Amino acid sequence: MDLGVRWRLHGDGRTPAPGAVVRPDERLSWPRTFGLGAQHVVAMFGASFVAPVLMGLDPNLAIMMSGVATVIFLLATRGRVPSYLGCSLSFVGVAAVIRAQGGSSATVTGAVFVVGAALFLVGLAVQRFGARIIHAAMPPIVTGAVVMLIGFNLAPVTASTYWPQDQWTALLVMLFTGLAVVCLRGFWSRVAIFLGLIFGYALSWVLDLTFGKIHSADGSGKVVDHWRLDLSAVGDADWIGLPTFHAPSFEWSAILVALPVVIALVAENAGHVKAVGEMTGDSLDDKLGTAISADGAASMLSTAVGGPPNTTYSENIGVMAATRVYSTAAYWAAACFALLFGLCPKFGAVVAAIPGGVLGGITVILYGMIGLLGAQIWINAGVDLRNPLNLVPAAAGIIIGVGGVSLKITDNFELSGIALGTIVVITGYHVLRAFAPPHLKTQEPLLDSGTSTYDEGDADDAGDAGDETAPGTGGSQSRAKS
């Protein structure tokens, strides 16, 4: 059985030849391969350890499980789709909503475990029936609106939780990060969020030395005198040890809040597979369902032990484009590095000590960028918002999702925010389409620019994909976040 763990040496093993690329089944020398793996880890750090901190989960466990998830993905896709799987920022909003409703970390991981299971089933359906089922249920107007309301729903978290802890640090970090995103080039622009965190970390330390404690809200919301940067837990943490595990807990109210994220994850995976296929010159259309299923299976495993869900990372696509090295061997190396970081509690303590004001400056940009990815989906797909069939359900769903509108069903059950907004967008679009006059039902573009080759003519490819055995069945399976 070919699991994609054998690689041919590319050329002299040092650098790609002019105009050539290192293909997924090739590698450079092992020292260079491990160096590239370390670069992939750095590229994913900016979001992969910020996301679990924002979700209230153990960053050590998140990093460790990102390595495990990457291994699962590479094995499932037989090494044909080079990709790193890190903690998905799409879940930050739903985690905040669940915790605001009194949910614990177990409730959060239980809800996103169900999302992982749903994603796994979507992948199986795509393998069996092709991407047509995605296009039918989630045209671009629906996908873009859901991604947008998930991102913008996070605005109150920044405004009420992080920014008030240290408004001036938040402002300076926001400005620095914005300049880094716009002005830096190449690899450094792709780790701008990470650089913003380092800048904010250092700035908070300097301000503590210069001005002493700050009188403001702390992490619990109480207005007290506190240090901006509290490193007391770092000194007490061990250098080597296991992260904190916990079992998930399942509550319907939390599950309904989290389920809409499936739409964003499907879009991320579809775009990632298409982008990698175009860069490597290989058609990966037959691997879309496998990639989605692998992502779902990896997220289920991670959340089952208390970690966050995972998704393909666009930052690592940028590293591949810059280096012209698409070798999956580099991703195996990155997964090994992630596992080692996960076994260092002191590293997790450093991450957990990130000041609230720093997170305030970062999340102002980060959350907005997540929301605007929805607009990017509309632009790439050529969605016409002058068409009321597109405009009405998207407008209603976004306002409901961003504004936190609620619909009380019974005394103990209500729909609100992200969950209600998503339901309104999806059902509203399809119901209106059923009654709309013919001139409004123009042919919709496909899911997004990343799946532009999927059409009725791919039925044969879809049939071939359906013959594959999905990961986890015992048989012989990536945003843009920011």
Side-chain angles (χ1 to χ4, degrees):
M1 180 186 301
D2 182 13
L3 296 177
V5 292
R6 295 180 180 179
W7 303 274
R8 303 188 308 272
L9 186 66
H10 176 87
D12 61 1
R14 296 183 178 181
T15 56
V21 299
V22 180
R23 298 176 59 80
D25 60 347
E26 297 178 331
R27 65 170 176 84
L28 298 178
S29 65
W30 284 116
R32 287 174 173 78
T33 295
F34 278 99
L36 287 165
Q39 188 174 0
H40 279 299
V41 171
V42 172
M44 67 86 179
F45 257 28
S48 209
F49 72 65
V50 173
V53 169
L54 297 177
M55 294 174 68
L57 301 176
D58 185 352
N60 269 68
L61 182 57
I63 296 298
M64 175 186 287
M65 294 312 297
S66 74
V68 174
T70 300
V71 169
I72 292 174
F73 187 92
L74 294 174
L75 290 175
T77 58
R78 307 291 199 273
R80 287 187 58 199
V81 186
S83 178
Y84 193 93
L85 267 63
C87 182
S88 175
L89 285 164
S90 300
F91 287 92
V92 172
V94 300
V97 172
I98 292 171
R99 290 189 180 278
Q101 295 174 348
S104 62
S105 293
T107 309
V108 171
T109 53
V112 295
F113 177 92
V114 175
V115 174
L119 186 65
F120 178 79
L121 294 176
V122 170
L124 294 183
V126 172
Q127 289 182 47
R128 177 64 182 85
F129 302 106
R132 295 185 303 276
I133 61 170
I134 297 177
H135 309 152
M138 297 181 296
I141 183 62
V142 170
T143 307
V146 172
V147 172
M148 186 175 291
L149 67 87
I150 287 174
F152 291 157
N153 181 265
L154 297 167
V157 177
T158 294
S160 61
T161 301
Y162 298 124
W163 192 278
Q165 293 183 42
D166 188 354
Q167 60 177 1
W168 294 111
T169 295
L171 179 62
L172 291 173
V173 170
M174 180 193 72
L175 294 174
F176 176 89
T177 305
L179 286 171
V181 170
V182 174
C183 298
L184 296 181
R185 294 290 183 269
F187 170 76
W188 294 110
S189 68
R190 287 186 287 275
V191 294
I193 299 295
F194 182 65
L195 296 177
L197 289 170
I198 295 176
F199 170 79
Y201 217 98
L203 176 64
S204 298
W205 178 68
V206 170
L207 291 176
D208 279 342
L209 289 179
T210 305
F211 300 105
K213 293 184 177 180
I214 185 174
H215 183 75
S216 67
D218 60 9
S220 65
K222 297 180 180 179
V223 179
V224 295
D225 290 331
H226 63 94
W227 295 109
R228 298 169 179 81
L229 179 61
D230 184 1
L231 297 176
S232 58
V234 177
D236 298 333
D238 296 326
W239 280 103
I240 301 176
L242 290 173
T244 303
F245 299 98
H246 70 257
S249 175
F250 302 97
E251 296 182 12
W252 274 111
S253 58
I255 291 171
L256 289 174
V257 169
L259 272 176
V261 181
V262 170
I263 297 175
L265 297 181
V266 170
E268 288 177 353
N269 276 276
H272 181 98
V273 170
K274 185 61 182 179
V276 172
E278 290 179 349
M279 287 191 298
T280 61
D282 293 332
S283 175
L284 298 176
D285 293 357
D286 62 316
K287 286 297 180 182
L288 176 61
T290 304
I292 294 174
S293 290
D295 191 350
S299 292
M300 291 169 64
L301 178 60
S302 178
T303 52
V305 297
N310 296 283
T311 190
T312 52
Y313 261 34
S314 59
E315 289 89 340
N316 297 94
I317 293 181
V319 173
M320 290 190 294
T323 61
R324 294 183 294 140
V325 178
Y326 306 102
S327 171
T328 54
Y331 282 105
W332 277 92
C336 292
F337 283 124
L339 289 171
L340 292 176
F341 275 118
L343 294 173
C344 180
K346 195 172 288 291
F347 163 77
V350 171
V351 174
I354 297 173
V358 176
L359 293 176
I362 292 293
T363 54
V364 163
I365 295 176
L366 197 60
Y367 293 169
M369 291 173 70
I370 294 172
L372 289 176
L373 286 176
Q376 185 178 9
I377 290 174
W378 288 345
I379 293 171
N380 290 343
V383 172
D384 184 6
L385 290 178
R386 296 169 298 179
N387 186 336
L389 178 58
N390 294 330
L391 181 62
V392 171
I398 289 172
I399 291 299
I400 288 174
V402 174
V405 175
S406 62
L407 181 66
K408 190 171 184 179
I409 309 299
T410 68
D411 291 339
N412 299 318
F413 179 73
E414 70 175 24
L415 291 170
S416 63
I418 294 173
L420 182 58
T422 300
I423 291 173
V424 168
V425 173
I426 295 177
T427 60
Y429 174 80
H430 289 290
V431 169
L432 289 175
R433 187 173 180 82
F435 292 98
H439 71 277
L440 295 182
K441 301 178 184 181
T442 55
Q443 177 64 41
E444 289 286 351
L446 301 181
L447 180 63
D448 61 17
S449 62
T451 57
S452 58
T453 64
Y454 294 107
D455 53 31
E456 296 297 329
D458 288 329
D460 293 337
D461 291 341
D464 294 339
D467 294 334
E468 297 180 13
T469 303
T473 59
S476 329
Q477 147 72 115
S478 101
R479 126 344 29 234
K481 124 220 102 23
S482 305

